């Protein structure tokens, strides 16, 4: 069987169809081997989430507090959480959903103290986000900007807690680079976090102070009302305190104390008691360092009132209480009130010991719970392996059916290809016959048009000859008028009669001339356009003269039609040669007839 060039579109179309069917069937065969489909994985994830949300909703603050869970609750919640993580790689075509799930997982593990698990979730978040970013809409990408920045900062802090110093520094630098072109609060926040890394982890006070001041300048310039300013002031003041610069620190602590008195936490609508108590305690301690006891007592009195308000709102956290007791003890020491100082010291030590004991118990419980959850995950993986093997056996049977189906489809496609080619050849033959017939019809129309053109040219020449004869008759009558002036009066009536007839002929000649020029212009419209494009400075009479020369009319006939003498006609031809810039060796008539 020989295939021609005309057959290629049909062959390519059938080949593409065959490739498409093979791809679909291969995809179905691979899908049959997957233990869980994407939709099923998504459905299971949602069912697990609904079960978990009954006791601990994802948007509830208690879900992110380690102390909110009993031993049994935590074991159950962690087991369900790990099951959800195992389902995420199986969920396809839902990039925003998977990105949010990994980010939530990293935040939750970090909040309850599982730092290593938080690191793994954040790493999955960044990997999945970069791989599927092109599938997100511009609005989604813009909404993820602050989330990506926070994830960088949290991952860096996680690395620092695990003593992975270089990895922590890398994440801070990536966060700054990610935000440096964005005019949002995340940029100075990233710089401030880098300063905290130098302050807490590397203990490099000068570098920390450099980044704090840089972040403070940007925030003060671009976001003067943002609460980040107070956090940065607190960081700068802490560095000043360690550098033995209490006067500079005192001014910053005082600004923060006044700031947090009126600051409201938007989600809860309550005052930020933790930071307010911390700012007041630091201000009291700094005044004690400056030996300004009266100012320290004044601030402490305000702090006492704030403590009562915090206790009434049940917002007096253990860390804030320890900080308050320490500064209270130091104030009594500075005032030489030893009994009160000792009593405060004893209470603070007792309270601190109780917190440490609770923390040790919780750590022990967490280790046991994590071991139990690890065993559960191993059992779950074993069950998944068993299910995968069963599905593999089923998929092998399905593959045999797929191969049979593919073979049948191939046979059908080859048969349809053969029949399609046969029909294509018949159609091609019919199209060829139709094209030949159309070509013959076109040739007949062309011959008919040429015949009409030649007929019109003959009519035009005859019409021009008639006009020439009429002109000659007019000249003859003019001679008779002259004879009338010089002849006898007895012949006057005869001559007048002849003169009247001559005038009528002259009127008829003018009308015929008008009709002649109209026909001449209509017949040579394309020639006029071509001539005008080559020589735009030719006048209308000169263009008509060219047209009559192109019709090979004699000079005396042309002069008669234009009602000029042969000498005037030769003058017109000379002017036309100059406008056309023709050389002496070029014959005007031949040049025009070749255009």
């Amino acid at each position: 069987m020989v295939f021609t060039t005309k057959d290629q579109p049909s062959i390519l179309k059938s080949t593409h169809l065959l490739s498409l069917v093979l791809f679909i069937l291969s995809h179905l065969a691979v899908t049959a081997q997957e233990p869980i489909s994407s939709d099923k994985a998504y459905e299971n994830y949602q069912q697990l989430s609904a079960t978990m949300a009954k006791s601990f909703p994802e948007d509830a603050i208690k879900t992110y507090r380690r102390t909110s869970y009993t031993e049994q609750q935590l074991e159950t919640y962690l087991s369900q959480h790990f099951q959800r993580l195992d389902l995420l790689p199986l969920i396809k075509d839902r990039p925003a959903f998977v990105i949010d799930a990994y980010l939530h997982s990293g935040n939750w593990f970090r909040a309850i103290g599982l730092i290593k698990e938080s690191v793994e979730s954040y790493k999955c978040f960044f990997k999945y986000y970069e791989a599927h970013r092109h599938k997100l809409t511009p609005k989604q990408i813009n909404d993820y900007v602050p989330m990506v920045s926070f994830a960088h900062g949290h991952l860096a802090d996680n690395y620092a807690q695990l003593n992975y110093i270089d990895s922590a520094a890398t994440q801070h630098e990536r966060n700054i680079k990610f935000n440096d072109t964005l005019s949002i609060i995340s940029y100075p926040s990233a710089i401030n976090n880098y300063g905290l890394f130098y302050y807490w982890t590397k203990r490099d006070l000068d570098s920390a102070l450099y980044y704090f001041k840089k972040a403070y300048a940007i925030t003060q310039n671009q976001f003067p009302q943002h609460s980040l300013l107070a956090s940065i002031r607190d960081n700068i003041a802490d560095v000043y305190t360690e550098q033995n610069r209490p006067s500079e620190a005192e001014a910053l602590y005082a600004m923060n104390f006044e700031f947090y008195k009126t600051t409201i936490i938007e989600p809860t609508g309550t005052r930020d008691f933790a930071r307010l108590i911390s700012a007041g305690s630091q201000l009291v301690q700094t005044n004690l360092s400056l030996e300004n006891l009266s100012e320290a007592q004044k601030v402490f009195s305000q702090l006492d009132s704030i403590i009562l308000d915090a206790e009434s709102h049940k917002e007096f956290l253990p860390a804030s209480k320890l900080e308050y007791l320490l500064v209270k003890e130091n104030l009594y020491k500075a005032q030489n009130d030893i009994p009160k100082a000792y009593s405060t010291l004893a209470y603070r030590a007792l309270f601190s010991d109780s917190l440490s004991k609770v923390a040790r118990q919780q750590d022990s419980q967490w280790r046991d719970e994590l071991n139990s959850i690890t065993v559960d995950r191993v059992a779950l993986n074993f069950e998944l392996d068993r299910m995968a093997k069963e599905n593999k056996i089923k998929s092998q049977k399905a593959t045999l059916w797929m191969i049979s189906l593919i073979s049948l489809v191939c046979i059908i496609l080859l048969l349809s290809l053969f029949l399609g080619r046969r029909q294509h050849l018949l159609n091609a033959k019919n199209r060829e016959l139709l094209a030949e017939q159309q070509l013959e019809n076109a040739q007949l129309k062309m011959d008919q048009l040429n015949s009409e053109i030649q007929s019109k040219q003959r009519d035009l020449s005859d019409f021009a000859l008639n006009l020439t004869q009429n002109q000659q008759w007019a000249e003859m009558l003019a001679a008779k008028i002259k004879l009338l002036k010089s002849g006898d009066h007895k012949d006057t009536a005869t001559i007048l009669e002849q003169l009247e007839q001559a005038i009528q002929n002259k009127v008829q000649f003018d009308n015929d001339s008008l009709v002649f020029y109209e026909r001449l212009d209509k017949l040579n419209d394309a020639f006029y356009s071509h001539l005008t494009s080559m020589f735009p400075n030719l006048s209308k009479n000169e263009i008509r003269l060219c047209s009559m020369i192109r019709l090979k009319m004699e000079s005396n006939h042309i002069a008669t039609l234009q009602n000029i003498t042969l000498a005037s006609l030769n003058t017109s031809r000379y002017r036309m040669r100059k406008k056309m810039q023709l050389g002496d060796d070029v014959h005007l008539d031949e040049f025009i007839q070749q255009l």
Side-chain angles (χ1 to χ4, degrees):
M1 184 181 294
V2 180
F3 292 90
T4 65
T5 304
K6 295 180 180 179
D7 299 330
Q8 288 181 359
S10 177
I11 297 171
L12 290 175
K13 184 176 180 181
S14 299
T15 305
H16 290 165
L17 179 61
L18 176 60
S19 301
L20 178 61
V21 172
L22 290 175
F23 171 78
I24 293 173
L25 293 176
S26 301
H27 179 70
L28 290 173
V30 173
T31 305
Q33 298 179 9
E34 294 183 357
I36 302 177
S37 66
S38 173
D39 291 339
K40 184 63 177 177
Y42 177 74
E43 181 182 349
N44 291 348
Y45 189 100
Q46 296 288 43
Q47 289 175 355
L48 282 170
S49 298
T51 302
M52 296 165 68
K54 290 179 180 179
S55 301
F56 295 94
E58 287 190 359
D59 56 351
I61 296 178
K62 70 174 185 176
T63 306
Y64 297 88
R65 288 180 178 174
R66 183 172 175 174
T67 55
S68 302
Y69 300 87
T70 64
E71 179 179 351
Q72 184 62 37
Q73 286 175 331
L74 184 60
E75 181 178 349
T76 302
Y77 196 89
L78 274 172
S79 177
Q80 293 169 336
H81 195 100
F82 282 124
Q83 290 180 52
R84 290 199 312 180
L85 288 177
D86 290 337
L87 292 170
L88 288 179
L90 303 176
I91 299 177
K92 311 298 181 183
D93 300 325
R94 300 177 188 269
F97 176 81
V98 178
I99 290 171
D100 291 340
Y102 278 128
L103 182 60
H104 165 73
S105 179
N107 294 338
W108 184 76
F109 280 131
R110 172 180 166 82
I112 63 173
L114 296 178
I115 303 303
K116 290 184 178 180
E117 286 74 9
S118 177
V119 168
E120 292 303 317
S121 293
Y122 282 135
K123 288 167 66 176
C124 290
F125 163 77
F126 285 116
K127 182 179 179 180
Y128 193 91
Y129 178 79
E130 291 301 326
H132 298 80
R133 188 173 184 270
H134 63 282
K135 296 182 180 180
L136 301 174
T137 65
K139 183 180 184 304
Q140 287 176 321
I141 293 175
N142 187 62
D143 291 341
Y144 277 121
V145 167
M147 301 182 193
V148 172
S149 180
F150 290 145
H152 274 301
H154 289 167
L155 182 56
D157 187 58
N158 287 346
Y159 279 136
Q161 292 186 50
L162 296 173
N163 204 29
Y164 299 157
I165 305 304
D166 293 339
S167 298
T170 300
Q171 285 300 318
H172 280 300
E173 291 165 0
R174 287 179 181 174
N175 194 18
I176 294 174
K177 184 178 180 180
F178 174 78
N179 287 283
D180 62 357
T181 59
L182 306 174
S183 297
I184 57 177
I185 195 64
S186 299
Y187 180 47
S189 177
I191 298 174
N192 179 60
N193 290 338
Y194 202 21
L196 289 173
F197 169 72
Y198 275 101
Y199 180 63
W200 285 336
T201 306
K202 287 200 165 186
R203 300 304 300 161
D204 184 347
L205 299 183
D206 292 334
S207 297
L209 187 59
Y210 167 78
Y211 285 108
F212 289 150
K213 287 185 175 181
K214 183 178 180 180
Y216 190 80
I218 295 172
T219 307
Q220 194 172 37
N221 182 44
Q222 299 183 12
F223 312 97
Q225 304 300 323
H226 202 278
S227 60
L228 179 62
L229 274 175
S231 298
I232 302 175
R233 275 198 299 263
D234 186 65
N235 297 335
I236 296 174
D238 289 344
V239 174
Y240 284 157
T241 299
E242 293 200 33
Q243 290 179 338
N244 199 23
R245 298 158 66 179
S247 298
E248 296 172 86
E250 190 274 339
L252 296 176
Y253 286 140
M255 291 174 65
N256 275 4
F257 189 49
E258 294 302 319
F259 176 82
Y260 286 121
K261 285 180 180 179
T262 57
T263 300
I264 301 297
I265 303 176
E266 292 183 1
T268 60
T270 60
R271 299 166 69 185
D272 193 346
F273 285 106
R275 293 187 178 183
L276 177 57
I277 294 171
S278 178
S281 300
Q282 290 168 323
L283 182 57
V284 172
Q285 186 61 50
T286 306
N287 278 298
L288 291 176
S289 300
L290 293 170
E291 298 182 355
N292 190 351
L293 296 183
S294 60
E295 184 63 27
Q297 180 60 53
K298 178 181 177 182
V299 174
F300 186 78
S301 298
Q302 297 179 41
L303 190 58
D304 264 340
S305 175
I306 293 169
I307 294 297
L308 294 175
D309 193 13
E311 288 178 336
S312 65
H313 287 84
K314 298 182 180 180
E315 293 288 342
F316 195 22
L317 300 179
S320 299
K321 188 172 184 178
L322 285 175
E323 192 172 13
Y324 166 74
L325 292 175
L326 177 61
V327 77
K328 183 177 182 180
E329 174 191 344
N330 292 335
L331 178 61
Y332 286 149
K333 287 181 181 178
Q335 294 173 342
N336 290 322
D337 194 342
I338 303 303
K340 290 184 179 180
Y342 178 77
S343 175
T344 304
L345 172 62
Y347 178 69
R348 184 171 65 85
L350 179 63
F351 183 71
S352 178
D353 290 342
S354 64
L355 291 178
S356 299
K357 183 177 180 181
V358 170
R360 285 194 298 270
Q361 290 176 349
Q362 289 179 343
D363 289 337
S364 177
Q365 291 177 0
W366 273 76
R367 282 192 294 271
D368 295 339
E369 291 159 5
L370 286 176
N371 290 334
S372 175
I373 291 167
T374 302
V375 172
D376 291 341
R377 291 202 71 187
V378 171
L380 178 62
N381 290 333
F382 176 80
E383 181 66 18
L384 290 175
D385 290 339
R386 184 186 64 80
M387 293 174 61
K389 290 178 181 179
E390 292 178 355
N391 287 328
K392 185 176 181 181
I393 295 173
K394 294 179 181 178
S395 67
Q396 289 175 350
K397 295 180 180 179
T399 302
L400 292 175
W401 281 100
M402 289 297 172
I403 293 174
S404 301
L405 181 59
I406 291 172
S407 301
L408 179 60
V409 170
C410 290
I411 294 173
I412 295 174
L413 285 175
L414 290 175
L415 182 60
S416 64
L417 179 63
F418 171 76
L419 296 176
R421 180 180 179 276
R422 181 180 178 185
Q423 184 63 38
H424 173 75
L425 292 175
L426 293 175
N427 293 339
K429 184 65 176 177
N430 293 334
R431 286 196 297 270
E432 185 178 353
L433 293 174
L434 180 61
E436 291 177 356
Q437 185 177 2
Q438 290 176 347
L439 183 61
E440 291 177 358
N441 294 337
Q443 185 63 40
L444 290 175
K445 290 182 179 179
M446 184 65 70
D447 293 341
Q448 184 180 359
L449 290 174
N450 289 333
S451 177
E452 291 178 359
I453 291 173
Q454 291 175 0
S455 176
K456 290 181 179 180
Q457 287 179 341
R458 287 194 299 271
D459 292 344
L460 189 61
S461 298
D462 294 342
F463 194 75
L465 181 60
N466 291 333
L467 285 178
T468 302
Q469 293 174 352
N470 290 336
Q471 185 66 18
Q472 290 174 353
W473 292 340
E475 290 176 354
M476 181 186 66
L477 293 178
K480 288 185 177 183
I481 292 174
K482 184 176 180 182
L483 180 62
L484 178 64
K485 291 180 180 180
S486 61
D488 298 333
H489 292 289
K490 62 181 180 179
D491 297 328
T492 301
T494 302
I495 295 173
L496 286 175
E497 183 179 352
Q498 293 177 349
L499 182 60
E500 182 181 1
Q501 183 64 35
I503 293 172
Q504 291 177 355
N505 290 340
K506 181 67 174 62
V507 172
Q508 183 64 31
F509 172 79
D510 290 342
N511 293 333
D512 290 346
S513 297
L514 179 61
V515 174
F516 168 76
Y517 282 124
E518 287 178 354
R519 292 185 180 181
L520 181 68
D521 294 344
K522 185 175 181 181
L523 181 64
N524 293 279
D525 183 72
F527 174 71
Y528 284 0
S529 299
H530 178 59
L531 189 65
T532 304
S533 64
M534 293 181 62
F535 310 104
N537 56 345
L538 293 179
S539 66
K540 186 173 182 180
N541 287 333
E542 289 171 340
I543 292 174
R544 284 179 172 173
L545 176 58
C546 290
S547 178
M548 287 185 284
I549 292 174
R550 185 166 175 264
L551 293 174
K552 298 182 180 181
M553 295 177 62
E554 295 181 1
S555 297
N556 59 336
H557 290 168
I558 295 174
T560 301
L561 287 171
Q562 290 192 336
N563 198 23
I564 58 176
T565 64
L566 283 175
S568 299
L569 177 62
N570 291 333
T571 301
S572 298
R573 292 167 66 93
Y574 174 76
R575 290 175 181 168
M576 202 159 55
R577 287 177 63 90
K578 289 186 65 178
K579 290 183 179 181
M580 293 181 176
Q581 298 181 353
L582 300 180
D584 295 337
D585 56 338
V586 179
H587 195 275
L588 178 63
D589 291 9
E590 293 178 355
F591 175 79
I592 293 174
Q593 290 168 7
Q594 291 175 359
L595 291 177

